[in-house]
Amino acid sequence: MFDVVVIGGGPCGATAAEDLARSGHRVALLDRDGRIKPCGGAIPPRLMADFDIGPEQLLARVTTARMVSPTGRHVDIGIENGFVGMVDRKDFDPFLRARAESAGAIRATGTFLRIERDEDGTRVIYREKASGEERALPTRLVIGADGANSRVGKAEVPGADAIPLVFAYHEIIAAPQADPSFDPARCDVIYDGRISPDFYGWVFPHGDTVSVGMGTEHREADLKAATADLRRATGLAQCETLRKEGAPIPLRPLDRWDNGRDVVLAGDAAGVVAPSSGEGIYYAMVAGRAAASACAACLSTGRASDLKLARRLFMREHKTVFRVLASMQNAYYRSDSRRERFVSLCHDPDVQRLTFEAYMNKKLVRANPLAHLKIGFKNLRHLAGLVPETHT
């Protein structure tokens, strides 16, 4: 009998399993193994500090972000006194799973099928990868960390089947050699309706490799063709393609994360990907830790209502940031003319400083009230078209 079975071994599930195991609970971590989520791989220094991630996990340190408009204009934003770490999920996720196992979590490899309940208790049923046979994990509680199309969520939590999604696709390619146009310490974010009609494309360096991809909510979009166009436009068409990966990404947190009984969702399954940026690794790990705390409380008190702590803990710290980012996405991503003005706004030093301080610290930083007023006024002028698009 396990105290908790964690379904899904990405950053969220692995973090939840490790936290629970380290606190003395009997935990099973069920993962399909071998699946790699398409992801730019950016992690902020706060993640490294909060979750004890050493610099040896980084493939690159990005010190500049380039924002590219539909007309090809760009602004390079330097990251003062810091960096954005880059990881490859191919290596980062197995590292986190192995760390959870070292902490005491029991690993199980296979595909989740269903949750069964009877007078003998609750069991997670899965198909074991090695044998192909159905196996059971008896448990008191379940954490569903199995991604945006969470089978756990759809079966157990009301509303989990209606979460809006962005469909993301990327290709991992060999980094170009001796190419002066490619900067291995720069992330490129491309706001262009020809690449993505409602989100963005990216070129993120990973040391010897590069992640090139895009996302969109439009199901009819050809993600592979758009990525091929992006590679041609950025001079990366001839680079060797090493991997191709695609997956849905949620657009907003669910209103409810638990079933009021014995299941709580976390990570992509709970919808915790940042609007506007699509950043997910940090928020997934925070949500995993919150779910672990909620389960620990529930196991201690016997109150199923304590599972609600997972969402409460997460939203208490990140709700405001998510709302601001969602407002920005709704304001600027709807057309190329808006995207053009968004890149113009990114030229502003106040916007640059506050944006990266918020990214590094994962909260809306306190600043000179006059700076906030200036940014709000500039934002309104850009949205109203009162500032020329070439304004810098």
Side-chain angles (χ1 to χ4, degrees):
M1 172 64 70
F2 293 98
D3 293 321
V4 184
V5 170
V6 182
I7 301 172
C12 175
T15 298
E18 181 188 359
D19 279 9
L20 286 164
R22 290 196 186 282
S23 62
H25 295 94
R26 184 163 170 76
V27 185
L29 176 60
L30 172 62
D31 186 67
R32 287 189 294 177
D33 196 30
R35 175 186 177 276
I36 307 170
K37 180 183 174 182
C39 178
I43 63 172
R46 180 171 172 182
L47 181 151
M48 299 177 69
D50 288 357
F51 297 98
D52 192 25
I53 302 300
E56 67 277 4
Q57 296 302 319
L58 301 183
L59 299 174
R61 294 180 180 226
V62 167
T63 55
T64 304
R66 170 168 288 184
M67 308 299 190
V68 184
S69 80
T71 60
R73 293 185 309 110
H74 68 261
V75 53
D76 289 349
I77 305 175
I79 304 172
E80 296 182 7
N81 305 317
F83 63 91
V84 176
M86 304 304 296
V87 299
D88 190 328
R89 296 287 294 274
K90 172 180 69 69
D91 306 309
F92 189 61
D93 290 17
F95 159 76
L96 294 175
R97 289 193 288 268
R99 194 167 70 170
E101 186 174 19
S102 296
I106 305 300
R107 295 281 301 278
T109 304
T111 302
F112 167 76
L113 297 176
R114 62 189 178 276
I115 296 174
E116 293 183 348
R117 301 177 181 87
D118 57 26
E119 63 275 6
D120 294 325
T122 300
R123 295 175 300 281
V124 171
I125 309 300
Y126 71 102
R127 178 170 290 108
E128 189 178 51
K129 182 177 181 179
S131 67
E133 297 179 357
E134 288 193 10
R135 304 291 189 191
L137 299 169
T139 187
R140 296 174 65 186
L141 298 174
V142 176
I143 294 177
D146 54 333
N149 273 324
S150 170
R151 297 180 68 179
V152 177
K154 290 178 179 179
E156 296 288 336
V157 178
D161 58 347
I163 187 169
L165 302 171
V166 162
F167 296 89
Y169 172 81
H170 80 158
E171 296 176 1
I172 297 293
I173 65 174
Q177 301 298 315
D179 183 347
S181 66
F182 176 77
D183 185 345
R186 187 189 73 216
C187 283
D188 291 4
V189 184
I190 297 89
Y191 299 98
D192 187 340
R194 292 168 295 184
I195 302 299
S196 171
D198 57 341
F199 211 58
Y200 62 80
W202 68 82
V203 177
F204 285 1
H206 288 173
D208 293 336
T209 64
V210 183
S211 166
V212 184
M214 52 80 68
T216 178
E217 195 176 352
H218 294 207
R219 291 178 178 267
E220 69 277 8
D222 189 332
L223 280 68
K224 293 183 178 181
T227 301
D229 290 342
L230 177 57
R231 288 182 60 173
R232 283 191 292 271
T234 53
L236 300 172
Q238 302 305 315
C239 295
E240 180 186 2
T241 303
L242 306 176
R243 301 198 317 265
K244 299 179 179 182
E245 296 150 359
I249 297 174
L251 280 176
R252 64 174 177 80
L254 291 173
D255 294 331
R256 180 174 178 177
W257 292 13
D258 69 284
N259 69 349
R261 182 177 182 179
D262 54 8
V263 174
V264 62
L265 304 179
D268 279 13
V272 291
V273 171
S276 179
S277 69
E279 182 192 358
I281 300 177
Y282 172 77
Y283 294 111
M285 295 176 76
V286 170
R289 177 156 288 172
S293 297
C295 285
C298 180
L299 291 167
S300 175
T301 66
R303 295 192 301 258
S305 60
D306 283 344
L307 295 177
K308 297 184 184 300
L309 283 171
R311 188 180 190 279
R312 196 175 304 148
L313 289 170
F314 182 91
M315 298 304 285
R316 183 172 64 190
E317 183 171 2
H318 301 292
K319 176 176 65 176
T320 302
V321 170
F322 272 46
R323 284 180 175 173
V324 170
L325 292 175
S327 297
M328 187 174 77
Q329 180 175 336
N330 291 335
Y332 284 109
Y333 286 18
R334 61 179 61 178
S335 69
D336 271 357
S337 62
R338 291 287 184 95
R339 283 185 274 267
E340 198 74 40
R341 295 189 181 283
F342 174 68
V343 173
S344 291
L345 183 63
C346 290
H347 280 274
D348 187 89
D350 290 326
V351 172
Q352 294 179 13
R353 182 175 59 83
L354 292 180
T355 296
F356 274 105
E357 285 183 2
Y359 175 81
M360 307 291 272
N361 298 309
K362 289 300 165 209
K363 58 186 177 182
L364 295 179
V365 296
R366 295 183 182 276
N368 183 337
L370 181 59
H372 283 297
L373 286 174
K374 285 169 59 182
I375 290 171
F377 180 64
K378 292 169 185 173
N379 184 52
L380 289 174
R381 293 184 68 211
H382 277 276
L383 284 173
L386 300 177
V387 179
E389 292 176 357
T390 55
H391 175 71
T392 60

